[in-house]
Amino acid sequence: MDTTLQDPLVGQVLDGRYRVDARIAVGGMATVYRALDTRLDRVLALKVMHPALAADGTFVERFIREAKSVARLAHPNVVQVFDQGTAGSYVYLAMEYVAGCTLRDVLRERGALQPRAALDILEPVLAALGAAHRAGFVHRDMKPENVLIGDDGRVKVADFGLVRSVNTVTSTTGAVLGTVSYLSPEQIDQPGTADARVDVYACGVVLYEMLTGSQPHEGESPAIVLYKHLHEDVPPPSALVPGLPFELDELVASATARTPGLRPYDAVALLAQTREARGRLSPEQLDAVPPQALAADHAGAENRTSVIPRSLTVPRLLPVDEDEPEQAYHRTSVLESPPLPPSRRGRSSGGSRRGPLLIVAAVLLALGLGAGVWYINSGQFTRVPALLAKTEAQARDRLDEAGLEAGKVTYAYSDTVKRGTVISTDPGVGARIRNHDSVSITVSKGPHTVKVPDVGGSALSKARARLKAAGLEPGMVTREFSEDVPKGAVISTDPGSGTTLRAESAVALTVSKGAPVDVPDVTGEDLADARADLVEAGLKVEVAATRVNSEFDAGQVAKQTPAPDNQAAEGDTVTLTVSKGPEMVEVPDVTGDSVDDAKSELEAAGFQVDEDRGLLGLFGDTVKKQSVKGGDTAPKGSTITITIR
């Protein structure tokens, strides 16, 4: 019985817009449906969180994070998110529908892939991840289940549910997010932190699996696999598939280095390495069929009559691991094909000739890779030779030798490719094209450099605008006094004007604070006099709203900011605090007390103490008199003189 009939959402219109037509995949966190957007009249995939989880803020946050992250990636190799919302107890994502299969399906069917097919799949995956990395976040769960291969041959990356900002440090209380076979050592050893290199590592493992048909680290339990990721290098693919080129071993080793710093820093860098390695391979090396693939074909011939998938006629729901609900987007099975009716089986010599052709055609359809991945050799076709890093003249000669024409030549800046040498070709190196077709090449102009403009004397805002117009970035701003440059204008840049820099380099700016002014001391002056003195010095005056007790009389300046004898710029403001007179304090009576006791009591009351001993009091120890009688008041901080006899 079709289990989709038991699903309460099938046949319903979610959020007044999305008509749910069929269930595609079920997992522990969400269910994926094929649906119709009734407003835009388009088929899409609807990923709906299980209602029981919708009350959990963590799960909802992950859903919304996926929507926001992928929505930022307008990239042809990323499964797009169109909408996110809630409808009653349902939280959903509306996503691009990709009819086809996953890379996992392909690997199950084929075992191992030819190097050309493996690289044709890896490159768009890296392009998609590169866009994510340059946008500031990482996928963190790359694996064959998350690589979708459309019926039209397009390759797309799905499931950004574990995505995190590159700069985000997450607290996972020791939990490891991702799939065990593709986790980098740092994800295991330091869970909760990850940068773009964890995706690079996972892609290296995926490449190994495509080339060999098996994963590099296997074990009877996840713990054993985790241990091997931490303590064992990924072996070279050629150890399992003799004859694989050394360039592919190098590529896998670079991507899966256990030390993150030894890997390419992001998917863009790995993509460059991949294209460079591909350019060094011959057509024979690229098209070599691995023994694992031959064995899979042989076993298939013995065990089933046809490899035409059920998915071509009957959509089929595939089970999904409970902890991996998102990886089966929009896929249909390429496995367990039903046998052909007896009438269609090969029973004569004619049928025997037709059988292999049907099988080849069926394999191409079952894999859903289209002309983008599988190739048929023909004398009418050739392949674009390796032209990367060749001079323009060398590239033209190589194209001529290959029976091809040099097409449009464009020039572009490059920080990594030497000036005058080829950056890229269209079609790409190794691509299969007709004889005598043209190949466009892009030649490096070297690094894009610009000269620092002279912005001295310009206002800061104008100086920043001129730097941006020149292709540079305004950097840190420091301020200094200047006798010659008006306040707010640029004194100098670092590097100086005329210096040649790479485009988008930062340029520091030094801005004038104006001519320096010595701040006069106006404490103790009447407010009007203090104001006049400061204005005469070229400064502005501000009076604090609060008055304070001080040693100065009421109405006089108690303190000033900046303090006297400092320097300020012309036009700077000096804040004055006005005195409300000294604080009056009752003087304690210390006559008859010992000198030590008297001094302690007076100082505790806030007074300073002076001793008057005279000739008669040189050896005395008792206070006979005090300058202010006990019980009277005196300004706090003033001096009380005690006479000793």
Side-chain angles (χ1 to χ4, degrees), residues 540-619:
K540 296 178 181 178
V541 178
E542 184 175 287
V543 179
T546 304
R547 297 193 173 203
V548 297
N549 291 113
S550 75
E551 60 181 302
F552 301 110
D553 293 339
Q556 294 180 336
V557 176
K559 59 181 180 180
Q560 64 183 78
T561 305
D565 301 325
N566 283 325
Q567 282 193 324
E570 185 175 356
D572 280 357
T573 298
V574 177
T575 302
L576 302 178
T577 303
V578 178
S579 173
K580 59 181 180 179
E583 180 182 355
M584 303 302 291
V585 178
E586 184 177 344
V587 179
D589 186 358
V590 297
T591 55
D593 293 349
S594 67
V595 173
D596 290 341
D597 290 345
K599 290 177 68 176
S600 296
E601 190 173 0
L602 289 169
E603 288 173 353
F607 297 104
Q608 300 183 43
V609 181
D610 191 14
E611 298 179 13
D612 177 14
R613 291 181 175 271
L615 293 176
L616 297 177
L618 290 177
F619 305 102

